[in-house]
């Protein structure tokens, strides 16, 4: 399939039953960059991937948040060592994605090929490239451990804590915080066991053909109270699926902002019984007046167990799925109401986030 963004990285063919990671790394590494952000109160580092020949770079919002909030300076180091200043094109807290653009970009940029995440299966081989702990061009490999894993993280605009590196026990800002500066991001993520560490944020996740299939964004870490506590990789990392990343990147490049479909409900996680079977689901605790949910006839205490046939065993899973859709998309929700299962069609609407 042609790349979603007109990438220039050559497709890599496997030479046998195992991926040729040496060939993949050689082909794609020039499209991966290291990002340094400096403001009056903090410094930070992350990774990114070249999206187009104009010098647009896709990364995580939390990587460049200090520059957005404090007018800090962004510098991008290409794989060959050349350094360029960069400006923010647009950002989206809701998905923790951002696009920055090189100032006076070179004419010989290598553009990554954004592929498809729909073909992924559990067990598929993957490669991550980024700058963990500041070590640029670091390559790690692994497999897809799970798909559509609901991941809820907090994106904190104040990166001045700990010199911009975040809490040592929470390097990606994952723990929920009761701070007005934090926005919750819910993503039905690709879970991988490839080693990811602070500094990998915003970098690309590749398949064995060298296509970008995700943007690495967070990791699971042991809690402080754990005897094995630590902030490094424990083999559980998460990436934003490329379908969502590409959709948001296109919107940010076009207008500087992104729009998201919404349902118009508040959710909890609860089980419900129908046809003698109890299932986990997303329980509706309130319905916004005039919202798509209200117009479709959804009610408080309905338990949504699937959207377009995809299981929603948690409230966060339904939220993550809805954010993958666009305004005016029609979806079919499978709902348990009064111990009876039924399908309800909903036309999603647009909600714009700054």
């Amino acid at each position: 399939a042609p790349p979603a963004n007109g990438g220039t990285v050559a497709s890599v063919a496997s030479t046998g039953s195992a991926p040729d990671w040496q060939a993949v790394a050689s082909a794609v590494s020039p499209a991966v960059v290291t990002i340094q952000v400096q403001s009056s109160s903090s410094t930070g580092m992350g990774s990114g991937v070249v999206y187009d020949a104009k010098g647009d770079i896709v990364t995580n919002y939390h990587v460049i948040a200090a520059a957005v909030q404090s007018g800090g300076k962004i510098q991008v180091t290409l794989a060959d060592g050349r350094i360029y200043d960069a400006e923010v094109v647009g950002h989206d807290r809701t998905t923790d994605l951002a696009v920055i653009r090189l100032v006076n970009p070179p004419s010989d940029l290598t553009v990554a090929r954004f592929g498809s995440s729909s073909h992924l299966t559990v067990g598929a081989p993957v490669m991550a490239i980024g700058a963990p702990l500041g070590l640029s061009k670091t390559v790690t490999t692994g497999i897809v451990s799970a798909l559509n894993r609901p991941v809820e993280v907090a994106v904190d605009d104040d990166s001045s804590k700990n010199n911009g590196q975040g809490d040592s026990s929470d390097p990606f800002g994952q723990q929920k915080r009761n701070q007005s500066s934090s926005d919750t991001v819910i993503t039905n993520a690709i879970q991988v066991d490839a080693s990811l560490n602070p500094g990998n944020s915003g970098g690309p996740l590749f398949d064995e053909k060298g296509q970008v299939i995700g943007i690495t964004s967070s990791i699971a870490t042991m809690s402080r109270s754990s005897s094995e506590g630590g902030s490094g990789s424990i083999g559980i990392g998460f990436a934003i699926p490329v379908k969502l990343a590409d959709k948001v990147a296109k919107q940010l490049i076009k207008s500087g902002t992104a729009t998201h479909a919404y349902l118009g409900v508040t959710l909890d996680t609860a089980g419900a019984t129908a046809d003698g079977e109890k299932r986990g689901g997303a329980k509706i605790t309130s319905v916004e007046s005039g919202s798509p949910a209200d117009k479709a006839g959804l009610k408080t205490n309905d338990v949504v167990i699937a959207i377009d046939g995809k299981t929603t065993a948690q409230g966060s899973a339904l939220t993550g799925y809805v954010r993958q859709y666009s305004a005016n998309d029609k979806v079919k929700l499978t709902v348990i109401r009064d111990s009876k299962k039924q399908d309800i069609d909903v036309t999603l609407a647009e909600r714009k986030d700054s």
Side-chain angles (χ1 to χ4, degrees):
N5 63 321
T8 61
V9 169
S11 180
V12 178
S14 296
T15 57
S17 58
D20 187 348
W21 288 133
Q22 184 176 355
V24 173
S26 176
V28 305
S29 290
V32 183
V33 304
T34 301
I35 300 171
Q36 292 179 308
V37 179
Q38 186 169 8
S39 69
S40 59
S41 60
S42 67
T43 59
M45 177 175 288
S47 304
V49 59
V50 179
Y51 185 78
D52 59 35
K54 296 184 299 183
D56 289 320
I57 309 288
V58 176
T59 186
N60 285 140
Y61 166 69
H62 75 258
V63 169
I64 54 95
V68 172
Q69 300 302 317
S70 307
K73 183 178 182 180
I74 302 174
Q75 284 194 324
V76 173
T77 303
L78 303 184
D80 61 9
R82 287 178 290 175
I83 300 174
Y84 292 86
D85 290 335
E87 300 172 337
V88 177
V89 174
H91 63 276
D92 180 45
R93 288 187 184 90
T94 300
T95 55
D96 192 23
L97 289 165
V99 174
I100 59 176
R101 182 173 295 161
L102 303 182
V103 176
N104 298 320
S107 60
D108 60 348
L109 279 175
T110 300
V111 179
R113 289 188 305 116
F114 275 50
S116 170
S117 46
S118 61
H119 71 285
L120 285 179
T121 57
V122 173
V126 292
M127 170 185 282
I129 303 182
L133 308 178
L135 302 172
S136 62
K137 297 187 289 185
T138 295
V139 175
T140 56
T141 61
I143 63 168
V144 174
S145 303
L147 294 169
N148 296 310
R149 177 74 74 193
V151 178
E152 187 172 352
V153 301
V155 176
D156 200 328
D157 290 332
D158 184 5
S159 61
S160 62
K161 304 177 182 69
N162 297 307
N163 197 33
Q165 300 303 315
D167 186 333
S168 61
S169 70
D170 182 23
F172 283 78
Q174 291 182 219
Q175 307 302 325
K176 295 181 183 179
R177 296 181 174 90
N178 295 319
Q179 297 176 344
S180 59
S181 61
S182 295
D183 287 326
T184 300
V185 174
I186 300 175
T187 304
N188 285 359
I190 303 167
Q191 181 182 326
V192 299
D193 70 351
S195 180
L196 302 178
N197 285 282
N200 275 113
S201 284
L205 184 71
F206 295 101
D207 65 10
E208 73 278 8
K209 295 180 181 179
Q211 298 181 117
V212 177
I213 54 169
I215 301 297
T216 56
S217 57
S218 60
I219 60 174
T221 58
M222 306 297 286
S223 66
R224 276 182 172 179
S225 59
S226 171
S227 59
E228 304 105 81
S231 59
S233 172
I234 59 172
I236 302 177
F238 305 103
I240 300 167
V242 71
K243 181 179 180 180
L244 179 60
D246 180 62
K247 170 186 161 184
V248 171
K250 282 181 167 65
Q251 291 184 66
L252 295 179
I253 292 169
K254 182 178 180 180
S255 66
T257 60
T259 60
H260 305 284
Y262 87 109
L263 187 58
V265 296
T266 56
L267 299 167
D268 200 353
T269 299
T273 301
D275 303 324
E277 295 179 330
K278 185 173 183 178
R279 299 176 181 272
K283 181 180 180 180
I284 297 175
T285 56
S286 68
V287 178
E288 180 182 328
S289 178
S291 68
D294 185 31
K295 293 176 181 178
L298 290 168
K299 298 179 179 180
T300 300
N301 295 323
D302 283 350
V303 176
V304 182
I305 60 172
I307 177 171
D308 286 340
K310 298 179 286 256
T311 301
T312 56
Q314 303 165 248
S316 55
L318 178 56
T319 300
Y321 276 127
V322 168
R323 289 180 179 172
Q324 295 177 11
Y325 289 90
S326 300
N328 300 316
D329 282 348
K330 292 179 172 59
V331 298
K332 186 182 297 294
L333 300 183
T334 303
V335 174
I336 295 178
R337 177 188 297 169
D338 299 328
S339 300
K340 295 180 181 179
K341 188 164 62 174
Q342 60 181 290
D343 290 332
I344 297 178
D345 294 326
V346 182
T347 300
L348 301 174
E350 178 183 291
R351 174 164 284 162
K352 190 172 182 178
D353 298 288
S354 60

